[in-house]
Amino acid sequence: GGSGSLGVSEFFSSSSTGSDDITKGAGLCTATPTKQSGLRWIFAITPTYRRVTQRLDMIRLLAAFAHVPNLYVVVVEDRETVSEKMKTTLEDSMMPEGSWALAAAPTTPGLAVKGSEQRNKGLDVMAKLIASEQDEQTRKDMENGVVFFADDDNAYDPRLFDEIRKVQKVGVWPVAFSGKKIVEHCKVDSSTGKVTGFDAWAADVRPFALDMAGMGLSVSFFVSPAETDTNKGAKLRFDPYSHSGMLESTLLMQTGISVGDLEPLADNCTKVYTWHVSTSIKWGKEQPPADFDKEFDV
């Protein structure tokens, strides 16, 4: 990894760019055309890890994404190299060609919060993809895009993506079933349209009491222009050493924005378009075997 070339073993893409580090993987069936000129791109950064519901969750996620134009998903596995299981899942999905990449980044042992290193890897892959885009208009649409962090076990109403495209700097929306609440959401002053606080878990100690799936940020925070590429701190990344519950806050604190600068979406944060599902196979305390997919690819 690093700033050098990403090896084939750690980065697969459905883009047919012909470069050595990208393998073409067209889906078996495609939904909508992936590119619409002049439409801002949405980049979904999705960490994932091996478990019995992984393929189920990923198929449901990709089905929600496949019909959204100008959406690119970067899936990052918590392991040393990408797995055939996830590569096949993406290739067999309805995601249009040129709309996904698969990478890998193992978690450093001992971290309080998992997922930050995978999300950072996904942001690096996104930056590389934008920089390598040959079509000038597409690259502009990507640079003008929005990033959101789509956990693989969440569910999404298609209307969410229209909301995400409205983000200028940092947009926020409600998330259901997160943080032991029916809905976590921002409090919005109806007269001013400004965010004034949060109805969320530990809102009194978290500067930005948001769920990872309840915020979208401008691509410009994560991909600095070529001329300022060497500027220290030009690119936002997650802090792997964040305390539990603080990952969103430590990211947003780097943006320099205040709570009042947040852009409330989904009708001033009154509509639910995102659910924290946490899929369970309802086996109680019994755990499936480690080789659960030995006989069937479940």
Side-chain angles (χ1 to χ4, degrees):
S3 59
S5 177
L6 292 161
V8 164
S9 63
E10 58 175 332
F11 175 25
F12 287 93
S13 168
S14 61
S15 303
S16 52
T17 62
S19 62
D20 292 338
D21 61 337
I22 296 178
T23 299
K24 180 179 177 182
L28 295 182
C29 47
T30 57
T32 53
T34 180
K35 291 183 182 178
Q36 288 187 17
S37 183
L39 183 68
R40 302 174 74 196
W41 280 74
I42 296 172
F43 289 93
I45 309 295
T46 299
T48 189
Y49 64 97
R50 178 175 167 79
R51 61 193 186 282
V52 73
T53 63
Q54 183 184 25
R55 180 168 170 252
L56 151 65
D57 288 334
M58 192 61 66
I59 286 172
R60 181 174 57 187
L61 182 84
L62 297 173
F65 289 168
H67 299 275
V68 183
N70 289 24
L71 185 148
Y72 198 108
V73 59
V74 183
V75 178
V76 186
E77 296 188 75
D78 184 357
R79 46 181 289 150
E80 292 284 350
T81 57
V82 301
S83 68
E84 281 300 316
K85 188 183 188 77
M86 283 299 98
K87 184 167 176 282
T88 301
T89 300
L90 280 155
E91 287 177 336
D92 288 356
S93 75
M94 291 183 68
M95 291 297 292
E97 186 175 336
S99 65
W100 61 264
L102 176 64
T107 295
T108 301
L111 295 180
V113 185
K114 291 185 177 181
S116 57
E117 291 166 303
Q118 291 75 34
R119 293 184 183 98
N120 285 345
K121 177 76 168 191
L123 292 167
D124 292 344
V125 170
M126 177 191 74
K128 180 181 173 68
L129 288 163
I130 294 173
S132 65
E133 176 55 55
Q134 299 298 305
D135 182 80
E136 188 177 351
Q137 182 61 52
T138 301
R139 190 169 64 253
K140 283 182 179 177
D141 294 341
M142 288 179 165
E143 290 171 344
N144 190 35
V146 184
V147 181
F148 91 114
F149 300 97
D151 286 351
D152 62 358
D153 60 350
N154 289 350
Y156 302 96
D157 185 305
R159 288 172 288 187
L160 174 67
F161 306 107
D162 291 333
E163 296 298 306
I164 291 175
R165 264 187 252 272
K166 298 175 184 176
V167 171
Q168 296 304 306
K169 288 186 176 180
V170 181
V172 292
W173 53 85
V175 179
F177 311 145
S178 175
K180 296 183 180 178
K181 283 186 171 288
I182 296 297
V183 179
E184 281 196 330
H185 62 94
C186 291
K187 296 177 180 177
V188 181
D189 184 326
S190 58
S191 62
T192 64
K194 294 280 189 181
V195 174
T196 58
F198 307 93
D199 186 346
W201 169 76
D204 55 334
V205 294
R206 299 162 68 206
F208 293 91
L210 296 163
D211 183 80
M212 190 66 70
M215 62 185 190
L217 290 84
S218 166
V219 162
S220 61
F221 283 122
F222 304 100
V223 181
S224 49
E227 62 268 22
T228 61
D229 211 26
T230 54
N231 287 6
K232 189 175 181 183
K235 299 177 185 176
L236 250 65
R237 292 296 184 267
F238 286 94
D239 178 7
Y241 298 97
S242 288
H243 296 295
S244 181
M246 289 295 291
L247 201 55
E248 298 86 353
S249 291
T250 53
L251 180 78
L252 292 179
M253 286 161 66
Q254 296 176 60
T255 66
I257 68 163
S258 67
V259 169
D261 296 325
L262 296 173
E263 302 151 34
L265 300 171
D267 285 353
N268 272 349
C269 292
T270 61
K271 297 283 177 27
V272 173
Y273 299 139
T274 309
W275 293 260
H276 221 25
V277 182
S278 301
T279 320
S280 168
I281 58 170
K282 297 180 176 62
W283 278 15
K285 293 181 179 179
E286 188 178 348
Q287 295 296 313
D291 61 349
F292 60 82
D293 50 2
K294 184 179 179 181
E295 186 177 359
F296 295 97
D297 183 22
V298 297

